[in-house]
Amino acid sequence: MGGIMGHTFRVDLRGIIDLLSHHLYSSPRVYVRELLQNAVDAITARRELDPSCPAGITITCGPELTITDTGVGLTEAEVHELLSTLGRTSKRDDLGFARERFLGQFGVGMLSCFLVASSVTVITRSARGGPAVRWEADSSGNYTVSVVDGDVPVGTSVRLSASRGNDHWLEADVVRPLVSDYGDLLPAVVTLDGAQVTRGVRPWDGVEDGEDADLSAYCEQIFGFTPFESIPIEVEAAGLTGVAFVLPSGVHPGTRQTHRVYLKRMLVGDNVEGLLPDWAYFVRCVVDASAIRPTASRESLYQDEMLLAVREELGEQIRDWLIRLDAIEPRRAGELLAAHHLGIKSLARSDDEMLRLVERWLPFETTEGAIPLRQFKRKHGAILYIPDVDEFHQLAPVAAAQGLGLVNAGYAYDMELLNRLSALDGPAVARRVAPSELLAALADPEPDVETALRLRLSEGAAALDRHDCDAVIRDFDPISLPALLISNAEQQRKLDTEQTAGEVTDPLWAELLGQLTAGSDSSRAEQLVLNCRNPLVQRLARLNDPSLVELTLESLYVHAVLQARRAMRPKDTAALNRSFLELLDRAVGGK
């Protein structure tokens, strides 16, 4: 039996470059970031040997691009280990480039140069001694290493020669904004063709609360809006500092929440998601961190426990700012809630202090207009609410005319917030109102009017029987409303179940549905409340033509359905067409 022979994986550099360009990096532009990253890491390593060493990165553009740093440089052995071996992160740490202190992590940075270059030349001299070394490589995977004679300063110089079709990536007009974007905050002076292109400081460092003029200008530059407020943020465990900018006007909750994130002062991306809780969609951040992990492409953040902790902590800081704003500047707090009510409501579902802020400042739609819940409670004592927007709009004019206060709880999160208020302050604080309660609040009609209308209803009963509807006579305002439709939700569910049972063929399933409807009351699914103050209803009471009575009742029913904004059933649509055409026929002289 033959012995087992060991083999070494062979790497196709062209295949690796294709992998990087099509699956790891979003664009060839990242080669600038990787070159800056290597230069800054080299400077950081040299300053641990000599804290007084210069921190400079010089870039020149032309037919070729050259980037030179004053960093620690590499020996010949280190060149082989770091430049010519893909993903050799463990050896990188052994040589002094420990991950927690440096930007690079994955050992693929130099390969990104081949996204735009046909060849790369590195000339480097180590601060630890030894001769200068030249490393030359091409995109086919071949490289040479040689010793350089002469006086070469400590540091590293990288020269790129563009590959076919990529010359524009090495031009100054393209490179300058990339350097400014990626390296704006780097702790090194970066010059391009003799001009400094980075600021080297974080705009929020040293800025106290209230001194946000410069930060507002920075937000305008980065995000394109003047913020409602600039909030300093910090998470010590992640080495994170930055600023949160509150949007000045409302945005849709589904809008992508993106932020500008730096890692050890190097830009990760300006469209990074997942930094804040979902409810804080009205805030955009610029942060710099040291302990957050990027993905291999360094263009987004790795979803781990650290990022979850950062998200929670930043959410708490924004929440605390909202509470302080309410205490110090209540009027501005009200303006903020009006602009970003959905996010604040979402937070108030689980936060008592935010719930009190919403109760005090956020306007709700009511029969008194748009007012906060606390103001509504002062007038009416309790919050009576209707959980459906269309039902509220139908009943609100009638309730207001009777002096009954109602709140529209049909919008996002309203029901949850009112239930939480009931749980905190007692069930009497807020409760759902059934339409039948409103019916009980309406006045009874005059006996003679009721008698006349009862007679007409008996004559036209067939019109309402077709729609499983009872007629009720009441005396209420507004006079302009002839009829009001009130639904019995439980009875409506029974009718739907009976209809479904009639359509199924499985005996067992039909029997089960029959049991669900058994024992239900015999009341109708809907009630048409006729307003005997309305002139049309009063004329109905004086009609002597039974066919016209039936036609008028059906027309009033259809009108009430439309007023209630209820979905039209096929028989409702048929009744609408029939009553309209018959009334039109009578109007033009028909029978």
Side-chain angles (χ1 to χ4, degrees):
M1 188 172 180
I4 298 175
M5 297 181 61
H7 300 276
T8 302
F9 283 107
R10 292 189 299 173
V11 176
D12 179 357
L13 185 59
R14 289 187 182 275
I16 293 296
I17 293 171
D18 181 71
L19 177 67
L20 296 180
S21 61
H22 291 97
H23 302 285
L24 183 62
Y25 296 128
S26 62
S27 165
R29 71 198 300 265
V30 298
Y31 88 91
V32 173
R33 183 193 66 200
E34 300 296 339
L35 288 174
L36 288 173
Q37 172 181 295
N38 289 342
V40 171
D41 280 353
I43 292 171
T44 302
R46 185 176 179 185
R47 283 196 158 177
E48 293 191 355
L49 300 176
D50 177 11
S52 64
C53 76
I57 301 173
T58 303
I59 302 173
T60 58
C61 294
E64 298 179 317
L65 181 143
T66 302
I67 177 170
T68 303
D69 66 68
T70 59
V72 70
L74 301 172
T75 64
E76 183 174 355
E78 291 169 349
V79 164
H80 285 283
E81 291 291 346
L82 296 180
L83 299 186
S84 308
T85 308
L86 176 63
R88 197 65 174 273
T89 55
S90 60
K91 186 63 178 178
R92 174 186 171 87
D93 294 348
D94 294 341
L95 295 174
F97 295 89
R99 296 185 202 181
E100 65 271 13
R101 291 177 291 146
F102 295 88
L103 295 171
Q105 293 188 39
F106 298 98
V108 295
M110 187 59 70
L111 286 180
S112 68
C113 295
F114 289 109
L115 298 176
V116 299
S118 61
S119 64
V120 179
T121 301
V122 178
I123 297 176
T124 180
R125 182 180 177 186
S126 175
R128 298 182 177 89
V133 179
R134 180 195 305 271
W135 178 85
E136 294 181 275
D138 59 38
S139 57
S140 298
N142 304 308
Y143 76 92
T144 62
V145 177
S146 58
V147 174
V148 178
D149 295 327
D151 187 17
V152 176
V154 171
T156 300
S157 179
V158 181
R159 184 173 73 249
L160 309 184
S161 298
S163 55
R164 177 180 296 182
N166 287 313
D167 302 77
H168 64 287
W169 285 110
L170 306 187
E171 294 174 358
D173 290 344
V174 175
V175 175
R176 184 178 293 105
L178 294 179
V179 172
S180 178
D181 207 27
Y182 284 120
D184 193 34
L185 307 186
L186 290 176
V189 177
V190 183
T191 59
L192 190 150
D193 292 341
Q196 184 171 338
V197 292
T198 59
R199 74 182 77 199
V201 295
R202 298 179 296 198
W204 57 87
D205 285 345
V207 176
E208 300 294 334
D209 289 347
E211 299 178 6
D212 60 353
D214 291 340
L215 290 180
S216 294
Y218 179 65
C219 178
E220 182 72 38
Q221 173 193 342
I222 297 299
F223 293 129
F225 65 86
T226 301
F228 176 89
E229 188 82 30
S230 304
I231 311 168
I233 51 179
E234 181 177 4
V235 181
E236 186 175 351
L240 182 147
T241 65
V243 59
F245 297 110
V246 181
L247 288 161
S249 57
V251 293
H252 192 277
T255 302
R256 286 179 64 236
Q257 177 201 112
T258 60
H259 310 280
R260 190 176 182 88
V261 176
Y262 293 85
L263 181 60
K264 300 170 187 173
R265 295 181 178 251
M266 176 68 77
L267 181 69
V268 172
D270 53 10
N271 287 296
V272 177
E273 301 184 50
L275 192 65
L276 293 182
D278 290 341
W279 61 261
Y281 62 86
F282 54 88
V283 177
R284 298 193 68 183
C285 298
V286 182
V287 301
D288 178 40
S290 60
I292 296 178
R293 292 175 58 194
T295 58
S297 67
R298 292 184 56 82
E299 295 177 319
S300 58
L301 300 179
Y302 189 77
Q303 298 288 330
D304 58 8
E305 291 184 1
M306 176 58 76
L307 184 58
L308 292 175
V310 166
R311 185 181 303 144
E312 182 178 352
E313 174 61 25
L314 292 181
E316 283 295 311
Q317 292 182 24
I318 294 171
R319 168 198 170 276
D320 291 344
W321 168 78
L322 286 168
I323 300 298
R324 290 197 306 272
L325 183 68
D326 180 46
I328 299 171
E329 299 181 83
R331 184 178 296 277
R332 292 193 75 218
E335 293 173 359
L336 180 72
L337 262 67
H340 305 296
H341 60 282
L342 282 177
I344 308 299
K345 280 183 179 180
S346 177
L347 176 57
R349 293 181 299 163
S350 57
D351 188 288
D352 291 348
E353 289 187 85
M354 293 305 299
L355 179 63
R356 295 307 183 192
L357 191 150
V358 167
E359 179 190 18
R360 188 162 55 251
W361 291 110
L362 188 63
F364 280 69
E365 185 177 7
T366 76
T367 49
E368 304 291 334
I371 60 174
L373 293 175
R374 183 165 293 184
Q375 182 179 340
F376 183 88
K377 281 199 303 182
R378 280 200 298 266
K379 180 170 183 178
H380 294 280
I383 301 172
L384 305 180
Y385 63 86
I386 293 179
D388 182 85
V389 174
D390 289 339
E391 191 173 67
F392 173 84
H393 288 155
Q394 181 202 8
L395 301 179
V398 179
Q402 319 313 311
L404 183 65
L406 296 178
V407 172
N408 184 358
Y411 296 113
Y413 309 129
D414 288 354
M415 281 281 292
E416 294 174 81
L417 297 180
L418 291 170
N419 289 336
R420 288 202 71 244
L421 279 175
S422 296
L424 289 175
D425 299 336
V429 170
R431 68 178 180 85
R432 177 176 179 172
V433 175
S436 57
E437 292 185 62
L438 178 61
L439 179 61
L442 303 181
D444 292 326
E446 295 294 331
D448 55 338
V449 176
E450 182 176 13
T451 300
L453 276 175
R454 291 284 179 202
L455 181 59
R456 301 289 84 78
L457 290 173
S458 65
E459 295 173 348
L464 298 183
D465 288 343
R466 286 194 292 268
H467 300 280
D468 191 48
C469 180
D470 284 328
V472 180
I473 304 170
R474 290 291 185 270
D475 188 310
F476 59 90
D477 288 323
I479 293 177
S480 60
L481 185 66
L484 180 69
L485 190 67
I486 292 181
S487 298
N488 183 332
E490 181 179 347
Q491 192 64 16
Q492 191 65 56
R493 284 194 294 270
K494 175 190 173 185
L495 289 177
D496 292 340
T497 303
E498 289 176 344
Q499 181 179 354
T500 303
E503 295 172 353
V504 299
T505 57
D506 187 331
L508 180 61
W509 179 236
E511 181 183 355
L512 177 60
L513 291 175
Q515 292 175 356
L516 291 175
T517 60
S520 299
D521 61 66
S522 59
S523 60
R524 298 291 183 92
E526 295 176 321
Q527 290 179 306
L528 183 67
V529 185
L530 298 173
N531 183 7
C532 63
R533 291 190 186 182
N534 179 266
L536 175 60
V537 176
Q538 292 175 354
R539 288 194 292 273
L540 171 64
R542 298 192 294 269
L543 286 178
N544 295 316
D545 183 348
S547 64
L548 185 56
V549 169
E550 184 175 337
L551 177 60
T552 303
L553 282 173
E554 189 162 46
S555 299
L556 287 173
Y557 171 80
V558 174
H559 177 266
V561 170
L562 294 173
Q563 286 288 105
R565 304 183 188 184
R566 196 200 69 188
M568 297 282 284
R569 299 169 297 188
K571 63 180 179 180
D572 297 332
T573 304
L576 173 64
N577 294 331
R578 181 173 57 250
S579 61
F580 173 77
L581 291 175
E582 289 192 26
L583 288 172
L584 184 61
D585 183 58
R586 286 176 178 266
V588 297
K591 291 184 180 181

